[in-house]
Amino acid sequence: MIAAIHYDIKPAELGRHLFDVTLTIEEPDAAGQQLWLPAWIPGSYLIRDFAKHLQWLEASDEDDNPVAIQKLGKARWQLAPCEGPVRVRYQIYAWDLSVRGAHLDETHGFFNGTSVFLAVAGQEGEAVSVAIQAPLEAPHWQLATGLSRISGEPWGFGLFSACDYDALIDHPVEMGDFEVLSFEACGIPHHLVLTGHHYGDKEKLKRDLAAICETQLNFFGTPHPFAEYWFLTMVTADSYGGLEHRNSTALMVPRYLLNGAEYLDFLALCSHEYFHNWNVKRIKPQAFLPYQLDKESHSIQLWAYEGITSYYDDLMLHRAGLIDAGAYLDRLATTLTRVARSPGRLVQSLADSSFDAWTKFYQQDENAPNAIVSYYTKGAVMALCLDLTLRLRSEHSLSLDDVMAHLWEAYGQTATGTADDSHQRIAESLLGEPLDAFFNQALHSTEDLPAQKLLAALGVELTFKAAADDSDNGGRPHKPRPERLTLGAKSLEADGGIKLSQVLHGGAADAAGLAAGDLIVAIDGLRARQSLLARQLAAIGQRQVEVHAFRRDELMTFELTPAPAPLDTAVLTISDPSLLKGWLEA
Ligand SMILES: [Zn+2]
């Protein structure tokens, strides 16, 4: 029952956000055991240095004599040589309310193994056991995790196991007074675990999630990759995030995503993380087999793992019968709009965006829209273009679905990592034609992808118009509106005026020489106010006016000419349903 590597974890002080952990190693390295903690968590490509939250560390032998510890690096420790078993005790500060870390207070506890479990160097491949104890202050709490249960009641604390360290850190744990909505998909038990107040329709949530899960389980076919599945969901006012794991996902969603106008965004997030069960958790790049968790692990393939997943997340809502073709095209238009609104797409290639995720996509500054392109959104447009290319060139006998089926069979089920050109080679072998031109352009150039031409061949017209207002992210045609003039910058109301948070290349503010961080205090001699900005620019028209702004504490004057809003908002219209031929159900 208890493995030779065993962890005891208990929420020790809820008010101080501390987990107590004891690690017992039966057979430590005779030359002195090394221990380490990951610097990042798979699926979230940023060095997070989880060891910074490890408070203290002590070790003792079987007779309770202290074992000396030497620190070798920011997240690696060396124990003095000793006979087993050796016991290591430490404390973890858990106050990161995100899907990537650990969090503990009087309302609930959550942790990823990457935050709390020290790895036993040289024995990472060994099976481990984990005893998770309820906090003394909250003995009634429940527990939810995809870890294999050895003892304890369902939803109770108890003893769990994992086949190796990689599995141990791939099963997040939620504890508290949560709500569980259980349903089956293809006979597999699924649980939506909800922590936090919400207004969701429980029966609808179960029905809609079951439809999405069944559609994806049937898409990839048997054998299914897990026997049970958990959506561990934290509901708060405004947080947003999701992280995929092998039989669960950790989600953080804003309260009002669970009902109302944004409900589809919640379903799309669930669909996205669920698709990762195959695409990145099992079909994965060579560079992730195994994960190198002490430093950045670069790959130019994130476009395939996040982009293809982003393409299918919405498409699966349509295939599951939850949205019609028009509503699907509205969501696709939003993706096309996001790409069109990134001047950085003309600067950074998709391959570079993937490779540099660690220092660019995950560390965005005020210049990010001008300098980078998202491997999620442009990756999704590339997946769309690849799908439509395969459909058209094969006279609708092939699609991206066939590429995914091949990847699952040849790579996912055999735990073989994909090479940088695997997706191209598979598509070419299925089609019997080279696709060098398409892949080179899509991955290594900054040219726009041929979405418009490909969509037209499937009977869908793509046009770009100016955004009607700040909330217009594209969709089906709106009624015509008067031309809108803009600064070409992201701005917000600030003390004394309007603060520019981002200045987009090619816009009016850029042409005037304004910079991110500038505080505009007056436009054309009038006090600048965010709430009146659109109306003031419309009234000024396309003529040059003076703008006064503070850069740091120095007042500067700029000559600004409001410019028409760029044609960056995608509109998709089905012009000939007969050409869809199975891509969408009209
Ligand atoms: Zn993802």
Side-chain angles (χ1 to χ4, degrees):
M1 301 288 252
I2 303 280
I5 295 173
H6 175 74
Y7 300 85
D8 272 290
I9 180 164
K10 90 173 168 213
E13 296 182 66
L14 302 184
R16 288 180 173 177
H17 327 299
L18 296 171
F19 282 105
D20 274 353
V21 188
T22 303
L23 161 61
T24 307
I25 309 162
E26 285 297 325
E27 295 171 24
D29 184 341
Q33 182 62 55
Q34 284 193 13
L35 305 168
W36 59 274
L37 199 65
W40 59 281
I41 182 168
S44 185
Y45 307 105
L46 179 69
I47 296 298
R48 296 185 191 274
D49 288 331
F50 299 115
K52 67 186 168 194
H53 296 308
L54 191 142
Q55 306 256 47
W56 48 261
L57 187 68
E58 63 182 30
S60 57
D61 66 12
E62 196 168 17
D63 302 321
D64 232 15
N65 297 314
V67 173
I69 303 173
Q70 187 192 356
K71 196 149 189 199
L72 300 179
K74 64 181 179 180
R76 185 170 281 265
W77 296 261
Q78 171 80 59
L79 304 190
C82 75
E83 300 254 312
V86 64
R87 187 162 293 146
V88 182
R89 295 186 197 85
Y90 54 97
Q91 207 161 45
I92 298 288
Y93 176 65
W95 196 234
D96 172 17
L97 189 57
S98 82
V99 297
R100 305 160 307 235
H103 189 257
L104 179 68
D105 68 5
E106 293 81 353
T107 66
H108 89 127
F110 171 82
F111 65 78
N112 286 291
T114 36
S115 287
V116 299
F117 296 132
L118 284 172
V120 180
Q123 300 189 45
E124 292 89 346
E126 301 298 316
V128 306
S129 54
V130 187
I132 310 176
Q133 294 182 45
L136 288 175
E137 299 113 301
H140 57 279
W141 273 11
Q142 297 173 283
L143 182 137
T145 179
L147 281 167
S148 300
R149 182 181 286 280
I150 298 173
S151 73
E153 296 294 309
W155 308 107
F157 288 74
L159 186 64
F160 299 84
S161 67
C163 61
D164 55 22
Y165 185 76
D166 185 54
L168 176 67
I169 60 171
D170 202 17
H171 292 93
V173 173
E174 170 71 23
M175 54 183 80
D177 293 312
F178 48 70
E179 176 175 32
V180 180
L181 306 180
S182 294
F183 58 91
E184 283 198 359
C186 296
I188 298 171
H190 287 62
H191 315 284
L192 173 60
V193 177
L194 290 160
T195 300
H197 193 95
H198 71 89
Y199 298 94
D201 177 334
K202 296 171 196 176
E203 289 309 310
K204 186 166 170 52
L205 277 164
K206 287 199 272 188
R207 208 166 52 236
D208 292 348
L209 283 180
I212 293 165
C213 296
E214 288 217 349
T215 302
Q216 295 198 23
L217 288 163
N218 290 329
F219 177 78
F220 284 101
T222 51
H224 299 313
F226 41 75
E228 197 165 358
Y229 190 84
W230 287 260
F231 292 93
L232 304 177
T233 309
M234 177 82 195
V235 183
T236 74
D238 51 9
S239 52
Y240 187 84
L243 195 55
E244 63 277 7
H245 298 284
R246 66 186 64 185
N247 67 352
S248 65
T249 176
L251 306 174
M252 290 202 62
V253 294
R255 182 157 296 121
Y256 303 110
L257 218 59
L258 287 173
N259 60 323
E262 293 156 272
Y263 176 61
L264 276 180
D265 292 337
F266 176 70
L267 295 183
L269 176 65
C270 293
S271 177
H272 180 97
E273 304 307 337
Y274 201 77
F275 198 84
H276 274 316
N277 282 316
W278 294 271
N279 200 37
V280 95
K281 292 316 301 184
R282 290 170 175 88
I283 309 163
K284 54 172 77 175
Q286 275 167 358
F288 293 172
L289 277 170
Y291 290 111
Q292 302 295 318
L293 294 170
D294 59 337
K295 59 177 186 296
E296 292 89 344
S297 186
H298 298 282
S299 169
I300 65 163
Q301 298 179 49
L302 295 187
W303 73 269
Y305 291 97
E306 290 303 344
I308 291 177
T309 302
S310 296
Y311 173 56
Y312 276 106
D313 60 21
D314 287 335
L315 197 53
M316 286 294 170
L317 302 185
H318 175 58
R319 292 192 185 172
L322 299 173
I323 54 175
D324 64 17
Y328 167 72
L329 290 175
D330 281 346
R331 298 189 67 81
L332 179 61
T334 301
T335 304
L336 291 160
T337 298
R338 288 206 181 115
V339 176
R341 287 184 187 171
S342 311
R345 75 185 194 282
L346 306 173
V347 175
Q348 189 187 46
S349 73
L350 204 41
D352 286 346
S353 172
S354 300
F355 191 89
D356 288 330
W358 303 80
T359 46
K360 297 201 170 186
F361 187 79
Y362 269 91
Q363 296 195 49
Q364 296 190 27
D365 60 18
E366 69 289 337
N367 193 47
N370 297 317
I372 70 172
V373 67
S374 162
Y375 52 84
Y376 284 82
T377 50
K378 189 177 174 186
V381 176
M382 172 165 171
L384 164 77
C385 290
L386 179 57
D387 189 16
L388 302 192
T389 296
L390 291 171
R391 287 172 189 271
L392 290 165
R393 289 216 207 161
S394 70
E395 292 175 357
H396 297 277
S397 65
L398 275 178
S399 73
L400 188 57
D401 295 2
D402 300 291
V403 175
M404 296 314 296
H406 185 91
L407 281 164
W408 173 228
E409 193 185 323
Y411 291 84
Q413 296 190 53
T414 61
T416 307
T418 54
D420 289 346
D421 63 353
S422 291
H423 296 80
Q424 181 179 341
R425 297 291 162 241
I426 291 166
E428 286 173 337
S429 74
L430 290 168
L431 188 62
E433 282 178 32
L435 289 163
D436 292 307
F438 172 79
F439 274 86
N440 280 337
Q441 184 203 20
L443 283 182
H444 301 290
S445 87
T446 54
E447 289 166 46
D448 282 328
L449 291 161
Q452 198 166 31
K453 201 174 110 202
L454 291 165
L455 284 162
L458 273 107
V460 177
E461 188 191 2
L462 166 62
T463 54
F464 285 93
K465 59 161 186 133
D469 53 46
D470 286 344
S471 64
D472 184 1
N473 291 316
R476 281 168 282 186
H478 293 265
K479 61 184 179 188
R481 296 182 191 233
E483 184 175 61
R484 191 167 154 256
L485 299 176
T486 71
L487 288 180
K490 286 229 168 72
S491 61
L492 36 105
E493 184 76 36
D495 203 11
I498 294 172
K499 185 99 167 175
L500 299 183
S501 57
Q502 291 174 334
V503 172
L504 301 175
H505 286 181
D510 178 40
L514 286 152
D518 287 351
L519 178 72
I520 298 178
V521 292
I523 300 173
D524 199 20
L526 299 169
R527 200 182 99 177
R529 291 169 70 175
Q530 180 70 23
S531 59
L532 298 177
L533 179 63
R535 278 183 275 176
Q536 188 183 9
L537 295 177
I540 291 168
Q542 292 185 63
R543 95 192 144 74
Q544 186 173 298
V545 293
E546 268 193 351
V547 166
H548 291 92
F550 280 106
R551 180 165 301 171
R552 301 176 295 277
D553 65 348
E554 293 173 30
L555 186 64
M556 298 173 70
T557 307
F558 301 87
E559 305 293 340
L560 177 124
T561 306
L567 305 181
D568 62 3
T569 306
V571 178
L572 290 170
T573 324
I574 298 176
S575 50
D576 185 350
S578 72
L579 294 177
L580 288 172
K581 302 210 190 260
W583 175 48
L584 304 177
E585 295 304 320

